Amino acid sequence: MIYFDNSATTKIDPQVLQTYQTVANQFWGNPSSLHHLGDQALQMLQSARQQIADLMHCQAEEIFFTSGGTEGDNWVLKGTAMAKQEFGRHIIVSSIEHPAVLNSAKQLEKLGWDVTYLPVDAHGYVHAEDVKKALRKDTVLVSVMGVNNEIGTVQPIREIAEVLKDRPTIHFHVDAVQTVGKNLFDQVLPDRVDFATFSGHKFHGPRGVGFVYIKKGRKLAPLITGGGQERNWRSGTENVPAIAAMSKAFRLVLTDEAQKAAQQMAMRQKLLTALQAMPDITIFSPTEGPAAPHILCFALSGVRGETMVHALEEHDIYLSTTSACSSRTGDESGTLKAMQVPEKLATSAVRISLDDQNTMAEVDQFLTVFPKVYQRFQHMNGRVD
């Protein structure tokens, strides 16, 4: 079995699963309880927070635990809106954000907020100059993802940070879900970034847990109120086993990160070279310019994406139709639409997403199987005899 759908979710690491099981068995007290069992759970929770903070080169009090990237994105957008509405009611997001950001922005529009959706060029890049042009006196938030989850563009976060350096009152948010383990933190998390969202299951942690980096001094209104957990910013009894496991997964994936990212880039390049040589294949991911090492999006003209996915599944090869969040609906890729890719071609898009656990042998096996599938579809479409 070849699993090339790691941007949708990753397999939990066996060491991470062991940590989850151990913590669940031995530290099952409520961290808010005053007794010894509660103290044990609280110490485990704070140890995990400190480990993540050390790896992020930030302070422990700047890490807040959530249920994942979707909650984190919702929290930053809506929490900013609630906390800063007296200062302005304008936000800026890119047109290729994850649905958690875009749909939050649309909700805010219905509540009277003004939202500017930044365009992207034909290669899927946001331009810092467009951010500068969109800024207004009442702008309170700019949100641009670090790595696009559908085609793998690495957005110019440092350039956008330069635009915002003289506007310190504007919140700057980066959805960093696709950046972990790809040796990209220097590019997508400069000091000017105020908020960054992460999801554990994208880097071999458990599902249903994530964290948000919130720069000290920045304020968000809580979305989830209750017992006052997470310093009264995000209530709800903390999932200590999942948090501890995510912390371990974060440490493991960042170990030898540069080497792992280079291996993924080598695999991506081999796949890219082979696909570019095939007639009627269109590559949507960047072939020049900043690109994540793990994502390659392409289409075979005349073959719908879901058809290609199932054809490869017959060979025990698993990839997806762009974003997993929209694949079951059959919707056109939002990123490709923003890039003005014709709808007929966009609905043929599929995405390979690699990981540090993939191997060059798997790439070679894919490149043995895919030409056969390709030839069959070309024959069916009357393009070959």
Side-chain angles (χ1 to χ4, degrees):
M1 190 267 283
I2 298 176
Y3 184 72
F4 280 172
D5 196 17
N6 291 283
S7 287
T9 195
T10 56
K11 182 180 179 182
I12 190 167
D13 186 286
Q15 298 178 70
V16 172
L17 182 58
Q18 182 59 55
T19 294
Y20 181 94
Q21 293 172 329
T22 299
V23 174
N25 284 326
Q26 298 181 14
F27 300 88
W28 43 268
N30 188 320
S32 297
S33 296
L34 294 178
H35 50 61
H36 178 61
L37 294 177
D39 286 342
Q40 285 184 321
L42 180 60
Q43 289 174 18
M44 177 60 66
L45 179 69
Q46 298 300 61
S47 176
R49 194 189 312 276
Q50 186 64 60
Q51 178 166 270
I52 290 174
D54 289 344
L55 293 165
M56 290 281 296
H57 304 293
C58 68
Q59 299 178 37
E61 63 189 83
E62 296 176 309
I63 301 298
F64 293 81
F65 295 119
T66 67
S67 64
T70 292
E71 182 192 333
D73 287 343
N74 272 260
W75 184 16
V76 172
L77 266 74
K78 297 171 187 176
T80 291
M82 294 166 65
K84 294 178 72 69
Q85 56 187 325
E86 63 181 290
F87 303 106
R89 299 177 67 88
H90 175 239
I91 66 174
I92 299 169
V93 302
S94 87
S95 57
I96 60 167
E97 294 299 301
H98 188 276
V101 169
L102 291 176
N103 289 335
S104 292
K106 291 174 183 176
Q107 279 189 311
L108 290 173
E109 280 188 293
K110 292 179 181 178
L111 295 172
W113 283 73
D114 197 0
V115 180
T116 297
Y117 296 92
L118 297 170
V120 294
D121 63 24
H123 305 288
Y125 291 103
V126 176
H127 288 270
E129 186 62 28
D130 288 328
V131 177
K132 186 175 183 179
K133 292 176 181 177
L135 290 174
R136 303 184 339 198
K137 290 184 178 180
D138 60 341
T139 303
V140 295
L141 172 71
V142 173
S143 181
V144 179
M145 67 195 330
V147 170
N148 178 262
N149 56 305
E150 297 188 33
I151 66 169
T153 47
V154 178
Q155 298 301 335
I157 301 301
R158 285 193 168 277
E159 288 85 346
I160 296 171
E162 279 295 305
V163 169
L164 296 175
K165 70 177 182 180
D166 295 328
R167 303 288 294 272
T169 60
I170 297 176
H171 283 180
F172 186 20
H173 168 239
V174 171
D175 179 331
V177 166
Q178 292 292 339
T179 67
V180 181
K182 312 307 175 188
N183 202 33
L184 294 171
F185 280 2
D186 285 345
Q187 296 182 54
V188 303
L189 294 176
D191 289 342
R192 180 59 183 83
V193 171
D194 301 307
F195 307 92
T197 45
F198 299 85
S199 186
H201 76 105
K202 303 296 188 179
F203 49 88
H204 302 294
R207 298 175 191 176
V209 64
F211 67 93
V212 179
Y213 161 74
I214 301 177
K215 182 183 289 185
K216 187 176 180 180
R218 291 304 199 184
K219 297 295 184 183
L220 287 180
L223 290 190
I224 301 176
T225 56
Q229 290 84 0
E230 296 298 290
R231 294 169 47 213
N232 211 31
W233 284 39
R234 196 276 188 186
S235 292
T237 300
E238 296 94 343
N239 187 347
V240 177
I243 289 169
M246 174 178 65
S247 171
K248 182 159 189 176
F250 198 57
R251 176 175 64 80
L252 291 174
V253 79
L254 295 183
T255 301
D256 299 324
E257 183 186 25
Q259 179 183 346
K260 292 172 182 174
Q263 290 171 343
Q264 291 170 66
M265 185 61 84
M267 290 187 283
R268 180 188 184 273
Q269 186 58 48
K270 187 167 188 177
L271 289 163
L272 175 62
T273 300
L275 291 169
Q276 285 179 315
M278 298 181 181
D280 300 313
I281 292 281
T282 299
I283 305 295
F284 301 117
S285 293
T287 57
E288 297 180 1
H294 64 300
I295 295 175
L296 185 58
C297 183
F298 67 95
L300 173 57
S301 180
V303 180
R304 288 188 64 87
E306 61 266 28
T307 303
M308 180 64 76
V309 167
H310 292 309
L312 290 168
E313 186 179 5
E314 292 176 3
H315 298 273
D316 224 14
I317 297 173
Y318 296 87
L319 40 72
S320 69
T321 56
T322 62
S323 171
C325 294
S326 61
S327 60
R328 285 198 178 273
T329 66
D331 292 340
E332 175 188 359
S333 159
T335 298
L336 299 184
K337 184 176 182 179
M339 291 165 59
Q340 300 185 12
V341 175
E343 181 179 358
K344 188 173 182 180
L345 184 57
T347 54
S348 294
V350 294
R351 178 190 66 186
I352 291 173
S353 47
L354 306 166
D355 187 71
D356 59 283
Q357 295 187 1
N358 290 123
T359 66
M360 195 63 80
E362 291 177 329
V363 170
D364 291 338
Q365 178 63 17
F366 175 86
L367 293 178
T368 298
V369 171
F370 183 76
K372 299 174 184 176
V373 174
Y374 167 86
Q375 288 292 336
R376 176 159 62 92
F377 282 129
Q378 289 291 77
H379 179 75
M380 291 170 59
N381 290 334
R383 296 195 177 108
V384 294
D385 295 330

